[in-house]
Amino acid sequence: MSVSKTLGLWAALLAASGLLAYGLASAHFPAALLLGPMLAAIAFGVRGAPLRVPKPGFQGAQALIGCLVAHAINPEIAGTILDDGFLILLVVLVTVLAGGIVGYVLTRMRVLPGTTAAWGSSPGRAAAMVAMAEEYGSDPRLVAFMQYVRVAAVVLSASVVARLLTEPVAASSAGTMPAQALAPISVLTTLCVAVIGAGIALALRLPAGALIGPMILGAGLHATGLASIVLPPVLLDAAYATIGWYVGLRFTRETLRETFHALPGILVATVAVILLCAGWAFGLTRILPIDFLTAFLATSPGGLDSVAIIAVGSKADVSFVLAVQTLRLFVVLITGPLLAKWVARAAPPDTPEAG
């Protein structure tokens, strides 16, 4: 495709994203600048637009979101983990188990092969699940499609729940850092934290390293007063949009065609996982002194970056949400292979992945 046509498609996507984001922001939806671009990108991807967000661009956006989260984190997150560690671990295990149950049912009903159903239903980071699924012999295309359908559905459902449970706020203040003088030295320091944190975490091959590295480094510096973590709104807006485009453009016409026969099962599985986690979130409000929005975001089986954006932009307890989501990410990476084998054993004897 010619450069001019590619630039024209990006311009059209940018315009459509802006219109949708403006409409959602006017309706007081949290993370409108994430949700609008994601919906626009899904439409463009399904219609065959050959657009992709380069991986470095996506990682850069994650690093900026990590800095945004770091600004919201305070020493309370450590206290949250220490005080409610057992319950947080229980929340994580129940969420992982919900994904395993859905994968088991899909396998028994012959909707999907065993390990593919397991990896596709696993509530971990989509890119990590796809990579591990391919390593263990599953169809990476189907796993990727399941994962990104779930991420999109979680963003939509979490945004709706947050909108219903949060008092309307000014569109410009949702999910942004408090208004303050953006001193050039503070902005430069924050960008250094993003680059250094992401670089170290990616070199160590940490899961979601581009997000977690700046989040941990920035939180430590910000909470101790050693550095002020601030970012201009234009950079945060660009990060939101980039993540939305990255997820949305994964939904291509080719992927839909290849997975069309499994689409009903994938949609049912996605809704089932979200509903199971929502039910567990309701139960948490009876056990812990937390509100339903906090519990819902903590148990949501979506991407850490997307959930973090929604949590920061609403009245949720960011410390609790991030503690649960971060711990779950590591638990899923550890238990994923075991869960995949367990689900594969549920396959009927005449299927390729049985046993």
Side-chain angles (χ1 to χ4, degrees):
M1 178 180 289
S2 64
V3 175
S4 59
K5 189 172 182 179
T6 300
L7 291 177
L9 284 173
W10 275 113
L13 177 59
L14 180 62
S17 300
L19 287 174
L20 282 173
Y22 177 79
L24 291 167
S26 299
H28 304 291
F29 271 84
L33 287 166
L34 167 73
L35 190 56
M38 185 188 74
L39 293 174
I42 289 175
F44 272 66
V46 170
R47 290 181 63 85
L51 301 176
R52 287 292 183 275
V53 173
K55 190 172 183 180
F58 176 60
Q59 291 175 332
Q62 285 189 309
L64 294 179
I65 298 304
C67 291
L68 169 67
V69 173
H71 180 90
I73 291 180
N74 51 49
E76 290 180 3
I77 190 170
T80 299
I81 295 175
L82 292 175
D83 295 342
D84 302 315
F86 175 76
L87 284 173
I88 288 177
L89 181 59
L90 185 60
V91 172
V92 169
L93 293 178
V94 169
T95 305
V96 173
L97 182 61
I101 291 173
V102 171
Y104 180 90
V105 172
L106 289 175
T107 301
R108 294 300 298 175
M109 295 178 65
R110 300 173 183 261
V111 175
L112 295 168
T115 56
T116 299
W119 290 113
S121 302
S122 186
R125 182 169 177 255
M129 295 301 99
V130 173
M132 293 180 72
E134 187 169 13
E135 182 179 344
Y136 281 84
S138 297
D139 186 343
R141 297 169 303 175
L142 196 53
V143 172
F145 187 67
M146 288 183 67
Q147 285 287 334
Y148 284 106
V149 165
R150 196 195 69 243
V151 170
V154 167
V155 172
L156 286 168
S157 61
S159 296
V160 171
V161 170
R163 171 64 185 88
L164 294 175
L165 299 181
T166 304
E167 290 296 325
V169 294
S172 61
S173 65
T176 61
M177 296 181 178
Q180 54 182 295
L182 294 174
I185 186 64
S186 296
V187 175
L188 181 61
T189 299
T190 302
L191 293 177
C192 288
V193 168
V195 173
I196 295 172
I200 293 175
L202 290 173
L204 295 174
R205 297 188 177 181
L206 293 179
L211 174 75
I212 290 180
M215 184 178 77
I216 294 175
L217 178 60
L221 295 174
H222 186 75
T224 56
L226 294 176
S228 178
I229 303 297
V230 295
L231 281 170
V234 64
L235 284 181
L236 288 176
D237 294 347
Y240 295 160
T242 299
I243 291 175
W245 289 331
Y246 182 84
V247 172
L249 289 173
R250 304 301 243 194
F251 294 83
T252 64
R253 184 180 301 172
E254 290 72 21
T255 306
L256 282 178
R257 187 182 302 117
E258 292 168 356
T259 59
F260 182 77
H261 66 284
L263 183 57
I266 291 173
L267 293 175
V268 171
T270 299
V271 174
V273 171
I274 293 174
L275 290 178
L276 284 172
C277 292
W280 175 226
F282 180 76
L284 277 181
T285 61
R286 299 291 187 253
I287 301 173
L288 294 174
I290 59 176
D291 59 278
F292 179 73
L293 177 58
T294 295
F296 184 82
L297 292 177
T299 58
S300 289
L304 176 59
D305 42 17
S306 303
V307 173
I309 292 171
I310 297 171
V312 173
S314 62
K315 292 185 177 180
D317 183 341
V318 177
S319 297
F320 185 83
V321 171
L322 294 180
V324 174
Q325 289 281 342
T326 303
L327 179 60
R328 193 190 69 213
L329 176 62
F330 287 95
V331 169
V332 167
L333 291 175
I334 294 171
T335 62
L338 296 176
L339 190 63
K341 290 180 180 179
W342 174 71
V343 173
R345 291 194 186 100
D350 59 338
T351 57
E353 296 187 49

